[in-house]
Amino acid sequence: MLFDPKQENLPYTFALIKPDTTLKPNVVQEVVNKIEAAGLTIKNFVQVQELYREEVLNLFYKQQKYMDEIMTYMLSGECVMFLLCHETENPIIVWKKMIGNKDPLEAKKLDPQSLRAIYGTSIIKNEFHGSDDPFSANKERDIFKFPIPQKIPDFKFDKMLVSLETLFKFLYPPNLEHSNALERLDIFAIYGPCVNYHSVDQCLCRQCALIGKEHIEGVRESLIASEQTKLGIKIRPQPTTGTRTQLPQRVQLPPIRLLKEEDIKSIYQQLCEKCQFHCNGYTHLQGGRNMQHIMTDQELNTLAKEMNKQEILELLYSEKGNAANVMIETIDLNEPNHYTKEMIELLFKELETDYYNRFKFYHLQNVILEDRRIRMNAWMSILINKPIHRFKNPKLVCKVPSEMRKNPESIHYTINRILPLNQTYKKKDITKMPLDFPPNLADKEKLNPNEEKLALLKKLHRDTHHMVEIQDAKKVVSNGVYLLRKYNDGRNGEWDNYSSLKGMNRGSFVNYEEKKKKEKL
């Protein structure tokens, strides 16, 4: 199994069963049962093999006093080696406690139930070995080339970790046919992140909102109770009868109006189908007092226009001076560039993700803001007719190593291009036909007698054009020319490679037919 940097490394210890015990399979099975009963987990497959001299020296380099006897014994037979892990405790301490003192005579006095006390006979033949510390465990694991034990990390809701799926829900909401993804992308970078939070007032129907409010109130009360516990405030029970005295609240929390991801997960089955669709298909941007407001589409559009206006105005000031105030009033503030989903995926292609394919928000933010600088320069080059390569990158003023410019965590992160992605992105060419694509008659090896003429015409039409006058189109084109539409980009060119009509104009053709009828009359 290869090492996966996205998984979580487990603490481990190296364990070894020596030759005399390895010769007794029933004893080895008893030891394995005791290991599992102690809560330890055997990682990697148990290896049974004879050791080499170099391996023994690396394992027992601390035992120089008994090295000759240890070498003779360890090379006399096979050994069992494996790694041990524990879910909650330190596996090194647990295994050391199980095997006991290195001298079996001392082990019988201190802990008669230890493995060395039961199966060991002498300090050389104590039958078990364990790592002393994490450094030794790593070294001993490396001797036998065991992979590092790993586990899939537990999923945790974190608003600062954003997946592409979550981002695309914000950029392309189901209620908008043609959303300006780049404007929303810039808002996400500057005011984000977008989250799977939903307002009980704005997002849910009346019945589902009542369920959400009840759940939120329970969460709020538990937060107040935990804060009171931290501050050492005793919670006084309210009297059940008589007059209730209002005690001053020493812990106050603002009202909660948003359902977080974990809240949605707990009440999801109680929501109606429409509200479930909303929770699955939308992500929102928080705003307002205490971040308890969901930004609407109209607010986002207004915010995007204001952002574009401020940045374009600053760039115009640097180029045109006071004339910028007049020019800005005549400029359309809608983003002129447009990115597809494929382009946005390409923009974040080099960023690292966690095990669940989530990006760090700070990495996304740096990439988007750097790409926005490039798009703004391209926009300005159109407005003032200035070549785009003459716009300088302010981040290149400081001399820093190239590694820092490629690191998305650095403030000096730079993208090495001067044009927006929609001007440099090239669609992948189709190099292989799909398997279910119908074969072309012109490429067929064996033809039936009724197919030979048609196949010949198709082969000729690949390299020639049939030019006809519009008045002859009705009787000539229908008999001698075959109009073939392309199926996809991998076919043999456009349909006009097979036929081309000179002076094709429906109006002139109709006029010609009417004129012809009048002449007959």
Side-chain angles (χ1 to χ4, degrees):
M1 184 179 66
L2 298 176
F3 176 76
D4 186 356
K6 296 182 181 181
Q7 293 193 16
E8 184 178 340
N9 294 342
L10 293 173
Y12 61 90
T13 184
F14 176 79
L16 180 139
I17 303 178
K18 297 183 179 179
D20 284 358
T21 305
T22 305
L23 291 174
K24 306 171 184 177
N26 57 334
V27 176
V28 173
Q29 186 59 46
E30 289 179 8
V31 173
V32 170
N33 293 339
K34 291 182 179 180
I35 290 173
E36 294 176 349
L40 291 166
T41 305
I42 298 177
K43 294 291 182 180
N44 308 115
F45 188 75
V46 179
Q47 290 190 0
V48 180
Q49 66 179 41
E50 294 183 359
L51 302 184
Y52 294 103
R53 180 180 179 85
E54 291 78 8
E55 294 173 342
V56 177
L57 288 173
N58 287 326
L59 275 176
F60 302 100
Y61 68 95
K62 295 181 180 179
Q63 307 295 333
Q64 295 297 328
K65 183 178 179 181
Y66 307 101
M67 181 55 68
D68 293 338
E69 294 86 345
I70 292 174
M71 182 69 67
T72 303
Y73 175 57
M74 295 302 295
L75 297 179
S76 64
E78 296 179 335
C79 298
V80 177
M81 296 154 290
F82 44 83
L83 300 180
L84 296 177
C85 300
H86 200 283
E87 292 184 359
T88 57
E89 300 180 24
N90 188 340
I92 296 176
I93 297 176
V94 175
W95 176 241
K96 279 288 189 182
K97 185 177 180 181
M98 280 189 65
I99 60 179
N101 192 283
K102 62 182 179 180
D103 188 352
L105 298 178
E106 292 293 328
K108 290 178 181 179
K109 297 178 181 178
L110 299 174
D111 187 3
Q113 300 300 321
S114 63
L115 297 179
R116 283 172 173 167
I118 298 174
Y119 303 106
T121 57
S122 66
I123 195 170
I124 303 300
K125 297 183 178 182
N126 55 17
E127 299 309 306
F128 298 96
H129 171 74
S131 304
D132 295 328
D133 50 60
F135 177 79
S136 300
N138 186 53
K139 180 180 178 181
E140 292 166 359
R141 175 197 60 79
D142 196 47
I143 293 172
F144 299 98
K145 296 180 172 56
F146 280 124
I148 297 176
Q150 293 181 303
K151 72 169 185 176
I152 297 175
D154 298 330
F155 183 83
K156 296 180 181 179
F157 293 106
D158 190 346
K159 64 184 298 183
M160 305 309 292
L161 296 175
V162 184
S163 65
L164 274 181
E165 181 184 4
T166 301
L167 180 59
F168 283 156
K169 288 178 183 178
F170 178 70
L171 301 182
Y172 305 97
N175 63 316
L176 297 181
E177 185 70 22
H178 301 288
S179 64
N180 196 322
L182 282 181
E183 291 182 350
R184 286 175 168 259
L185 193 66
D186 295 337
I187 293 174
F188 163 82
I190 298 174
Y191 298 100
C194 59
V195 289
N196 286 316
Y197 293 3
H198 300 279
S199 171
V200 292
D201 302 316
Q202 299 172 253
C203 303
L204 304 181
C205 66
R206 185 175 181 181
Q207 296 297 327
C208 297
L210 294 175
I211 298 173
K213 289 177 181 177
E214 183 180 355
H215 177 81
I216 286 175
E217 191 59 31
V219 172
R220 186 170 180 272
E221 290 178 0
S222 62
L223 289 175
I224 291 175
S226 62
E227 287 294 326
Q228 289 177 337
T229 304
K230 289 180 182 178
L231 297 174
I233 301 173
K234 295 183 179 180
I235 304 174
R236 299 178 182 178
Q238 293 288 348
T240 55
T241 58
T243 59
R244 299 182 61 181
T245 57
Q246 293 291 336
L247 298 176
Q249 290 188 353
R250 301 178 66 179
V251 176
Q252 295 183 356
L253 290 180
I256 304 174
R257 310 307 297 169
L258 294 184
L259 289 166
K260 298 183 179 180
E261 288 181 277
E262 51 267 34
D263 301 328
I264 292 291
K265 185 177 179 180
S266 60
I267 66 170
Y268 182 80
Q269 298 299 331
Q270 305 176 42
L271 301 179
C272 66
E273 185 178 354
K274 184 179 179 181
C275 293
Q276 287 181 354
F277 173 79
H278 181 91
C279 295
N280 292 332
Y282 291 85
T283 55
H284 301 289
L285 192 71
Q286 295 173 265
R289 185 178 180 182
N290 297 320
M291 304 299 288
Q292 295 295 311
H293 172 68
I294 294 299
M295 301 287 286
T296 63
D297 296 332
Q298 185 176 1
E299 291 171 339
L300 293 174
N301 291 335
T302 305
L303 181 59
K305 301 297 182 295
E306 191 63 29
M307 286 168 46
N308 292 341
K309 181 178 179 179
Q310 292 297 328
E311 189 152 355
I312 290 295
L313 190 59
E314 290 179 6
L315 293 173
L316 283 175
Y317 268 128
S318 62
E319 298 289 339
K320 298 296 183 180
N322 292 333
N325 292 324
V326 179
M327 295 179 63
I328 196 66
E329 300 299 330
T330 62
I331 295 174
D332 182 10
L333 296 176
N334 290 310
E335 174 77 38
N337 300 294
H338 298 281
Y339 283 6
T340 62
K341 288 185 178 181
E342 292 78 13
M343 295 177 189
I344 295 175
E345 290 176 355
L346 181 63
L347 185 64
F348 305 136
K349 184 178 180 181
E350 297 181 357
L351 297 183
E352 296 181 355
T353 61
D354 66 354
Y355 183 82
Y356 297 97
N357 295 323
R358 296 181 297 179
F359 298 93
K360 291 183 179 180
F361 171 70
Y362 299 111
H363 293 179
L364 295 177
Q365 188 179 47
N366 274 346
V367 174
I368 295 169
L369 293 180
E370 178 66 8
D371 182 71
R372 176 176 171 80
R373 180 189 62 80
I374 296 171
R375 287 186 277 111
M376 290 294 110
N377 288 344
W379 192 354
M380 277 294 297
S381 69
I382 298 173
L383 294 176
I384 63 176
N385 295 323
K386 179 179 178 180
I388 193 170
H389 64 271
R390 294 181 61 185
F391 287 90
K392 296 181 180 180
N393 185 355
K395 293 185 178 181
L396 298 180
V397 176
C398 302
K399 293 183 179 181
V400 296
S402 59
E403 292 77 12
M404 293 184 66
R405 300 197 185 280
K406 297 178 182 179
N407 184 8
E409 293 186 353
S410 172
I411 59 173
H412 301 288
Y413 174 77
T414 308
I415 297 178
N416 294 324
R417 56 180 167 84
I418 60 174
L419 293 174
L421 270 180
N422 59 327
Q423 299 181 28
T424 60
Y425 178 76
K426 183 179 179 182
K427 187 178 179 182
K428 293 183 180 179
D429 296 329
I430 297 179
T431 57
K432 186 178 179 181
M433 293 289 186
L435 297 177
D436 56 347
F437 193 84
N440 195 335
L441 184 62
D443 300 326
K444 192 175 179 181
E445 295 182 0
K446 293 183 179 181
L447 299 170
N448 297 326
N450 61 336
E451 296 175 340
E452 293 178 356
K453 186 177 179 181
L454 182 60
L456 179 61
L457 288 172
K458 288 189 174 184
K459 288 181 180 179
L460 290 174
H461 292 158
R462 285 182 176 178
D463 304 313
T464 61
H465 297 272
H466 193 166
M467 310 293 293
V468 295
E469 295 291 339
I470 192 64
Q471 57 267 24
D472 299 328
K474 187 173 182 181
K475 57 183 180 181
V476 177
V477 176
S478 60
N479 296 327
V481 177
Y482 298 89
L483 301 179
L484 301 180
R485 296 282 182 178
K486 66 169 185 176
Y487 294 125
N488 58 26
D489 295 337
R491 203 60 176 169
N492 298 309
E494 305 286 343
W495 67 272
D496 56 3
N497 284 354
Y498 298 90
S499 175
S500 176
L501 300 183
K502 181 182 178 182
M504 187 175 180
N505 190 318
R506 183 66 179 169
S508 61
F509 180 71
V510 172
N511 294 335
Y512 172 79
E513 290 291 329
E514 291 179 355
K515 184 177 180 182
K516 193 173 181 181
K517 289 179 181 179
K518 290 179 181 179
E519 289 178 356
K520 288 182 179 180
L521 295 174

